[in-house]
Amino acid sequence: MIELLKNTFSQLFKEEPSIVFAPGRINIIGEHTDYNDGYVLPAAIDKGIYIATNRNADAHVNLFSIEYNELYTCSIAELSKTNIHWVNYVLGAIIELKQRGYDIQGFNAVITSNLPVGAGVSSSAALTSATLFALNQLFSLGLGKTVMAKFAQQVEHHFAGVNCGIMDMFTSLMGKENHAIQLDCRDLSYSYVPINLDSYVFVLMNTNVKHSLASTAYNQRRKECEAGVALVKSKYPEVRSLRDISLAMLTECIPVTSIIHKRCFCIVNEIARVVSAVDAISKRDLVSLGSLLYQAHDELSHLYEVSCKELDYLVGTVQQMEGVMGARMMGGGFGGCTLNLIHKDFVSSIITTVKASYEVDCKLPFDSFIVSLGDGAKLITN
Ligand code: GLA
């Protein structure tokens, strides 16, 4: 892969590039908690985006994507949103930097990826993080990884119109091999949690559902959480986010039959589940971890309503099977992957069985992979 990247770069631009890698991510637990000032427990995976770059003297940005076999060129002085999805993340990163006064000049880039797109493993955050990390090197900007994560989040807000939290970019930049990150999204303090699952592995199962309304529904969920906070605030003015709110406060301030109550109830529980999951992992108590995954799925599906019938199908199917400790939908929802905690000896037979039934019952292709946890963004060659 890196050889192909180098060769493509030298064919197009006749020079040696420097190469940066930024990974995709899984999230063990803590869904939709990042924009509620809560905890998340994500981890970088060993698949991601590679970007080869060098500076040029012609004041242009020349971008080539190997996967899309597409070249895009524009002047560094005239950057604006295009109708090419992948290009926007790169241009968005440059614009965010330029708006903050960083001096970005012409450069060439070739991009390649081994991350599935739309599977909920944050390929867009990986692309933005890779671009920022590469530009930081190329133009000696002196940016730290946390600052880059904040800039990458702004790119998503301004260029993709998704009012997302910081989990995906933070993980892509800060991940550590064989560790998850317990991140406190209120102040970005974090600790690395060693992941040792004994005979178990995490497996991603891809529904191959790409929901076109996902970003609208995501922004709407965010507003519903804010509405819940406003209601509680009228009685408890010190409250700033769902992180500060208990179940008792919710029930006191919001009618229990309302949608807002359902949404907030799920998130308050989900924030607590992250703490319980870290405890279970540190005690190697995979039974408790698995049951937290099922609980999370149940509430995200029925209360937060960000699942879809295919995600529910996959979780419901594996729940009956020997060797499965837990499963849940992962990421923003409405499609993408489920995360499954499965005994090594059962993985291959489970995958075969689930694929056969999913493809018939849901009439969509099924794919899956065993997750390995890798490092965050890094320089591969200079
Ligand atoms: C998407 C967003 C994240 C996070 C998850 C849900 O991946 O980009 O910020 O909110 O959904 O946990």
Side-chain angles (χ1 to χ4, degrees), residues 334-347:
F334 305 103
C337 287
T338 60
L339 179 74
N340 304 268
L341 183 57
I342 304 182
H343 193 287
K344 281 189 206 135
D345 297 347
F346 292 83
V347 170

Side-chain angles (χ1 to χ4, degrees), residues 82-130:
T82 71
N83 54 10
I84 313 170
H85 195 62
W86 66 270
V87 169
N88 283 338
Y89 291 102
V90 180
L91 298 188
I94 308 169
I95 291 172
E96 283 300 325
L97 291 170
K98 287 185 69 161
Q99 279 173 351
R100 290 175 165 84
Y102 293 98
D103 183 20
I104 309 296
Q105 290 159 27
F107 70 95
N108 308 315
V110 176
I111 298 163
T112 190
S113 165
N114 55 7
L115 272 180
V117 173
V121 287
S122 294
S123 55
S124 58
L127 177 55
T128 315
S129 302

Side-chain angles (χ1 to χ4, degrees), residues 25 27 30-35 122 164-168 218 331-332:
R25 61 107 188 88
N27 185 21
E31 224 59 270
H32 291 271
T33 51
D34 57 355
Y35 55 82
S122 294
C164 65
I166 202 165
M167 168 171 74
D168 306 342
Y218 185 97

Side-chain angles (χ1 to χ4, degrees), residues 62-299:
N62 303 309
L63 308 173
F64 182 74
S65 158
I66 294 183
E67 274 65 41
Y68 294 104
N69 191 25
E70 197 167 20
L71 181 69
Y72 180 84
T73 292
C74 65
S75 155
I76 188 75
E78 285 161 42
L79 302 170
S80 58
K81 200 167 167 176
T82 71
N83 54 10
I84 313 170
H85 195 62
W86 66 270
V87 169
N88 283 338
Y89 291 102
V90 180
L91 298 188
I94 308 169
I95 291 172
E96 283 300 325
L97 291 170
K98 287 185 69 161
Q99 279 173 351
R100 290 175 165 84
Y102 293 98
D103 183 20
I104 309 296
Q105 290 159 27
F107 70 95
N108 308 315
V110 176
I111 298 163
T112 190
S113 165
N114 55 7
L115 272 180
V117 173
V121 287
S122 294
S123 55
S124 58
L127 177 55
T128 315
S129 302
T131 305
L132 286 168
F133 195 91
L135 295 178
N136 190 39
Q137 297 282 331
L138 211 54
F139 297 103
S140 308
L141 306 179
L143 299 171
K145 285 184 163 183
T146 305
V147 172
M148 285 189 257
K150 288 183 181 164
F151 290 0
Q153 184 188 14
Q154 292 307 307
V155 174
E156 202 78 37
H157 289 191
H158 298 148
F159 274 75
V162 181
N163 217 358
C164 65
I166 202 165
M167 168 171 74
D168 306 342
M169 326 48 204
F170 191 94
T171 313
S172 183
L173 286 152
M174 297 291 290
K176 181 171 167 182
E177 193 176 5
N178 297 325
H179 288 74
I181 310 173
Q182 184 183 5
L183 173 65
D184 182 342
C185 299
R186 179 151 65 180
D187 58 9
L188 299 190
S189 58
Y190 64 93
S191 57
Y192 288 111
V193 178
I195 300 298
N196 184 335
L197 303 172
D198 297 320
S199 306
Y200 283 75
V201 285
F202 282 125
V203 178
L204 288 182
M205 297 187 182
N206 190 353
T207 60
N208 281 299
V209 173
K210 295 175 177 93
H211 200 293
S212 58
L213 294 174
S215 58
T216 320
Y218 185 97
N219 293 342
Q220 187 199 344
R221 291 299 176 282
R222 200 170 167 150
K223 288 209 179 94
E224 288 163 350
C225 292
E226 284 162 10
V229 173
L231 288 171
V232 177
K233 219 177 166 68
S234 57
K235 188 132 201 195
Y236 296 95
E238 70 282 9
V239 152
R240 284 181 298 148
S241 64
L242 286 180
R243 170 71 176 277
D244 308 318
I245 294 177
S246 64
L247 293 181
M249 286 155 94
L250 277 187
T251 306
E252 185 185 346
C253 304
I254 308 174
V256 282
T257 49
S258 68
I259 284 190
I260 303 289
H261 190 277
K262 282 205 294 191
R263 305 290 194 247
C264 296
F265 183 89
C266 169
I267 298 304
V268 170
N269 284 337
E270 186 72 0
I271 294 172
R273 276 191 284 269
V274 176
V275 179
S276 308
V278 170
D279 184 51
I281 289 169
S282 71
K283 293 181 180 141
R284 305 246 190 120
D285 176 1
L286 299 187
V287 174
S288 299
L289 178 62
S291 109
L292 288 162
L293 298 182
Y294 285 132
Q295 278 169 34
H297 183 79
D298 191 53
E299 292 193 4

